[in-house]
Amino acid sequence: MLHGSSPTYQDGNQEPILVKEESVEGIPSPLLKLKSWQWWVLVSINILFLIGGQAASVLLGRFYYEEGGNSKWMATLVQTAAFPILYIPLLLLPSSSSSEPASCSLKTIVLIYVLLGVIIAGDNMLYSVGLLYLSASTYSLICATQLAFNAVFSYFINAQKFTALILNSVVLLSFSAALIALNDDADAPSGVSRSKYVVGFVCTLAASALYSLLLSLMQFSFEKILKKETFSVVLEMQIYTSLVATCVAVIGLFASGEWRTLHGEMEGYHKGQSSYVLTLVGTAVTWQVCSVGVVGLIFLVTSLFSNVISTLSLAVTPLAALAVFRDKMSGVKVMAMLIALWGFASYVYQNHLDDLKVRRARKQPQTGQVDPHC
């Protein structure tokens, strides 16, 4: 059982990918009340949200640029603007017990939300620039480097052990990104120069690093600061950090002057004005679906596992981009994808070994226990 009552096994402060600690600073987790199959159902739902939402949002974002959209701040804004729809599940969920002592002050909670929200806004802007200058498939392959960045941040922030297999994964994912960067036959969108392609590559790489830092900071906030393990807390964090990020994006939209071009952009949209609106709305909704999956997996498992599942979009988004945008799948890009998948497999196998260690350690005290009344 993943959530049994046996003591938690720790190996070099490593937290296995599929084993949630039984308590956080002495506060029991309600996840322990779930049966194994119920926990797996929740994890599976969040995995579908993450992979499906991420693939759809990337394709819609590229579609926005392909059909005449050009506002980077609008592309940034729609990544968080649909956060009010998260109030629906929040209202349906039981609220936290009012008798439960506050784990930290309101000032601290607000500071956490503002800090994470500003990071999210900056990260979304970098992703918007990257998607403007890169094809959807190239963009997705570069995003795979977030797994390597997460290994580093998890080591320093979340005490995640750095093993030979994880190091192998980091090296392979770095090679994968390097192949994309050095590819002379880059399939940049039409009208994008080589210099803009490089800008897109650097922005996407920086966004991947910032995203990995964000995941580790979220996990740290749940475990060490908020110290609450309810899904309502997960949704509240997603709602209020998205509110901050949306406000930052709106300020950027008006400060940059891009808001003046939006009306002409909508009128000149290749697929028509209604398609323009539907594209932005669809992008906003799918990003929120993806975000729920990301934060849900951080809550249910770890930030590392959330990032590993994010990398699975490698097998979805580039293939979908081939069908939708006729992206060119060059030999270099295929090699980069295979290397990235090899790195992903190394990560998964390492955490499978960690899970086996925990299971064996939990069985040993039970098999060696002697009844004093015998």
Side-chain angles (χ1 to χ4, degrees):
M1 295 292 291
L2 296 174
H3 305 287
S5 57
S6 54
T8 301
Y9 171 75
Q10 292 182 335
D11 179 16
N13 290 328
Q14 183 173 8
E15 182 182 1
I17 201 166
L18 294 179
V19 180
K20 193 77 172 177
E21 289 188 17
E22 296 187 10
S23 63
V24 178
E25 298 293 330
I27 299 177
S29 168
L31 292 177
L32 299 176
K33 300 176 182 178
L34 294 176
K35 296 180 180 179
S36 180
W37 70 268
Q38 293 174 321
W39 183 81
W40 274 109
V41 167
L42 287 177
V43 170
S44 299
I45 290 173
N46 281 279
I47 288 174
L48 290 175
F49 280 175
L50 197 163
I51 295 177
Q54 181 167 280
S57 57
V58 169
L59 292 178
L60 285 171
R62 185 61 245 166
F63 182 78
Y64 165 75
Y65 288 132
E66 288 280 343
E67 299 302 326
N70 196 46
S71 173
K72 294 183 288 293
W73 278 111
M74 176 56 72
T76 301
L77 175 61
V78 295
Q79 294 182 49
T80 55
F83 72 88
I85 66 176
L86 298 180
Y87 278 108
I88 298 174
L90 182 62
L91 294 174
L92 297 177
L93 288 171
S95 60
S96 302
S97 174
S98 57
S99 60
E100 184 177 304
S103 57
C104 56
S105 65
L106 178 61
K107 182 179 178 181
T108 302
I109 295 175
V110 171
L111 183 62
I112 291 171
Y113 289 159
V114 171
L115 175 62
L116 294 178
V118 171
I119 293 175
I120 290 172
D123 192 45
N124 290 345
M125 182 59 178
L126 289 171
Y127 276 131
S128 297
V129 175
L131 194 55
L132 174 62
Y133 297 139
L134 300 175
S135 66
S137 55
T138 300
Y139 168 89
S140 299
L141 287 171
I142 298 173
C143 285
T145 57
Q146 67 195 35
L147 197 60
F149 287 118
N150 197 202
V152 177
F153 290 126
S154 293
Y155 175 80
F156 288 105
I157 299 175
N158 307 121
Q160 197 79 34
K161 190 175 180 180
F162 219 88
T163 66
L165 281 172
I166 290 180
L167 179 61
N168 177 67
S169 179
V170 170
V171 172
L172 289 172
L173 289 167
S174 300
F175 281 165
S176 176
L179 280 176
I180 296 295
L182 298 175
N183 182 18
D184 292 330
D185 191 26
D187 59 329
S190 58
V192 175
S193 64
R194 180 66 184 180
S195 60
K196 288 183 177 179
Y197 175 87
V198 172
V199 170
F201 177 89
V202 172
C203 285
T204 305
L205 194 65
S208 299
L210 197 58
Y211 175 76
S212 299
L213 174 62
L214 178 66
L215 291 185
S216 292
L217 289 176
M218 281 186 171
Q219 183 181 337
F220 181 84
S221 299
F222 284 134
E223 295 181 350
K224 304 299 183 182
I225 303 176
L226 298 177
K227 298 179 182 178
K228 289 183 179 180
E229 293 275 354
T230 64
F231 203 77
S232 60
V233 172
V234 174
L235 285 174
E236 286 170 3
M237 174 175 282
Q238 179 62 28
I239 288 170
Y240 296 120
T241 56
S242 295
L243 172 62
V244 173
T246 300
C247 291
V248 172
V250 170
I251 292 172
L253 183 65
F254 282 91
S256 66
E258 285 188 2
W259 65 275
R260 297 188 185 94
T261 66
L262 294 181
H263 181 69
E265 183 178 280
M266 181 171 64
E267 288 187 338
Y269 201 65
H270 300 162
K271 297 293 184 180
Q273 297 184 25
S274 59
S275 177
Y276 178 84
V277 174
L278 288 175
T279 300
L280 293 179
V281 171
T283 306
V285 172
T286 51
W287 271 122
Q288 286 306 306
V289 171
C290 174
S291 297
V292 170
V294 168
V295 182
L297 289 177
I298 294 173
F299 164 68
L300 290 168
V301 196
T302 64
S303 68
L304 175 61
F305 184 74
S306 179
N307 217 341
V308 167
I309 297 303
S310 252
T311 313
L312 274 178
S313 65
L314 277 173
V316 178
T317 307
L319 297 178
L322 285 175
V324 177
F325 300 117
R326 301 294 189 269
D327 281 1
K328 182 174 60 177
M329 187 59 71
S330 64
V332 172
K333 191 180 292 186
V334 171
M335 184 62 68
M337 178 183 291
L338 292 176
I339 292 175
L341 289 174
W342 184 6
F344 167 76
S346 296
Y347 236 127
V348 172
Y349 183 65
Q350 174 61 61
N351 286 277
H352 169 68
L353 295 178
D354 295 336
D355 189 38
L356 291 179
K357 282 185 179 180
V358 172
R359 292 172 185 270
R360 294 193 193 103
R362 287 181 171 180
K363 288 178 181 179
Q364 287 176 358
Q366 297 173 359
T367 56
Q369 188 174 9
V370 179
D371 191 342
H373 297 290
C374 292

